[in-house]
């Protein structure tokens, strides 16, 4: 049976997408269901062309075994323009699969051809209103009271008053970690915080602390449905 593979940037992207996919499989009738297991994520652990090229090269053997039908690349848009991100992905694809088509837009399959094999590939860039990364999205879709995490705004003002600064990306990561540890973990869970309040554990056991019906996720859901 052929699999659909997602190439992602990090383990956190993997855990987040697994949670959404479980949720969509529960709510949306799909035949056949999306086939994405833990081993079917190729985490790049940070974005650079070499890692993406290597992830694509690693797919070749599985493609030749007939184990892959469709590939999705999901990376953060960060502060880049969508066209620049598309060009980045295309450069990596062309080096690994020089006979293939080029991506022109997100959420659109192209054919990847080599040695008589053919698969489909599409990309999506994690964002909120055209910017940001996973943590930007998570901050928007939180479903629980977030007093502890929200009070970081005052802390950020304090930094500014002392001529210190923190990037938006760093702040959002910090916000998510505080939301997990202090806003959504029970006293009992905090006694085993490293395990019970970790991102992996929360996404596996307490995904309800995120609103998977939030409109921010609509584009991502459309992308994932392409792999049904």
């Amino acid at each position: 049976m052929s699999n659909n593979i997602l190439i992602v940037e990090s383990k956190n992207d993997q855990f987040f997408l697994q949670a959404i996919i479980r949720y969509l499989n529960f709510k949306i009738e799909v035949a056949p269901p999306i086939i994405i297991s833990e081993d079917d994520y190729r985490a790049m652990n940070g974005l650079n062309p070499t890692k993406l090229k290597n992830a694509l090269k690693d797919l070749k053997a599985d493609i030749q075994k007939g184990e892959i039908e469709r590939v999705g690349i999901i990376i953060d848009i960060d502060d880049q323009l969508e066209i620049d991100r598309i060009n980045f992905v295309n450069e990596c694809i062309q080096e690994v699969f020089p006979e293939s088509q080029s991506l022109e837009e997100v959420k659109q399959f192209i054919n990847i051809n080599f040695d008589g094999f053919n698969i489909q590939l599409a990309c999506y860039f994690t964002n909120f209103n055209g910017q940001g990364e996973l943590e930007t999205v998570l901050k928007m879709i939180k479903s629980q009271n977030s007093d502890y995490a929200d009070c970081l705004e005052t802390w950020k003002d304090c930094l500014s008053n002392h001529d210190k600064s923190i990037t938006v990306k760093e702040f959002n990561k910090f916000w998510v970690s505080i939301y997990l540890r202090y806003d959504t973990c029970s006293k009992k869970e905090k006694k085993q915080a490293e395990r019970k309040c970790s991102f992996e554990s929360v996404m596996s056991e307490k995904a309800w602390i995120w609103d998977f019906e939030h409109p921010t996720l609509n584009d991502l859901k459309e992308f994932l449905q392409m792999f049904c």
Side-chain angles (χ1 to χ4, degrees):
M1 181 178 292
S2 296
N3 288 346
N4 296 314
I5 303 292
L6 292 183
I7 295 176
V8 297
E9 280 190 64
S10 70
K11 287 288 187 182
N12 281 358
D13 292 290
Q14 172 187 334
F15 302 142
F16 170 65
L17 287 164
Q18 285 175 324
I20 287 187
I21 288 166
R22 284 193 297 269
Y23 179 82
L24 292 176
N25 279 341
F26 181 74
K27 292 292 185 179
I28 299 173
E29 290 186 15
V30 177
I34 297 173
I35 305 171
I36 302 180
S37 66
E38 182 174 349
D39 290 336
D40 289 332
Y41 286 81
R42 310 297 165 94
M44 291 185 288
N45 295 315
L47 184 59
N48 72 48
T50 300
K51 290 178 181 178
L52 178 51
K53 290 171 190 175
N54 288 340
L56 291 170
K57 289 175 183 176
D58 287 343
L59 291 175
K60 280 191 171 183
D62 291 336
I63 294 171
Q64 290 172 321
K65 295 175 185 176
E67 296 177 355
I68 296 175
E69 181 179 350
R70 291 175 177 172
V71 175
I73 297 174
I74 299 181
I75 59 179
D76 295 335
I77 199 164
D78 292 320
D79 58 355
Q80 302 294 305
L81 295 175
E82 184 174 288
I83 186 61
D84 292 332
R85 274 292 188 250
I86 289 174
N87 290 338
F88 168 84
V89 175
N90 276 331
E91 288 173 8
C92 297
I93 292 171
Q94 290 301 314
E95 181 162 327
V96 180
F97 302 104
E99 303 300 319
S100 297
Q101 297 175 293
S102 293
L103 293 162
E104 295 183 359
E105 57 185 300
V106 297
K107 299 190 298 180
Q108 183 182 74
F109 281 121
I110 60 169
N111 291 316
I112 300 289
N113 302 296
F114 78 103
D115 297 341
F117 295 93
N118 179 274
I119 63 165
Q120 291 185 305
L121 182 146
C123 69
Y124 176 80
F125 306 130
T126 304
N127 74 94
F128 173 69
N129 284 345
Q131 287 193 315
E133 61 284 318
L134 174 61
E135 287 76 17
T136 314
V137 172
L138 291 173
K139 197 171 175 216
M140 291 302 303
I141 66 169
K142 62 95 178 180
S143 66
Q144 306 301 300
N145 180 285
S146 55
D147 286 344
Y148 281 96
D150 291 339
C151 281
L152 290 173
E153 291 288 348
T154 302
W155 170 77
K156 187 168 64 172
D157 291 339
C158 179
L159 287 179
S160 179
N161 291 336
H162 289 81
D163 295 323
K164 306 292 184 181
S165 64
I166 184 170
T167 67
V168 173
K169 187 168 187 172
E170 291 170 331
F171 179 82
N172 287 340
K173 287 182 182 295
F174 194 22
W175 188 98
V176 169
S177 68
I178 296 299
Y179 177 65
L180 296 183
R181 177 73 177 265
Y182 295 99
D183 286 308
T184 62
C185 265
S186 66
K187 290 183 179 179
K188 183 178 179 180
E189 289 170 332
K190 287 176 184 175
K191 293 178 181 179
Q192 304 178 64
E194 187 173 345
R195 184 165 62 89
K196 292 291 187 178
C197 303
S198 70
F199 194 81
E200 179 180 7
S201 175
V202 166
M203 282 302 178
S204 176
E205 300 174 17
K206 298 194 305 183
W208 46 264
I209 71 169
W210 313 106
D211 177 12
F212 288 155
E213 289 297 324
H214 197 284
T216 296
L217 298 177
N218 287 350
D219 279 349
L220 175 58
K221 288 180 181 179
E222 288 178 11
F223 179 75
L224 294 175
Q225 288 181 51
M226 293 167 56
F227 293 82
C228 296

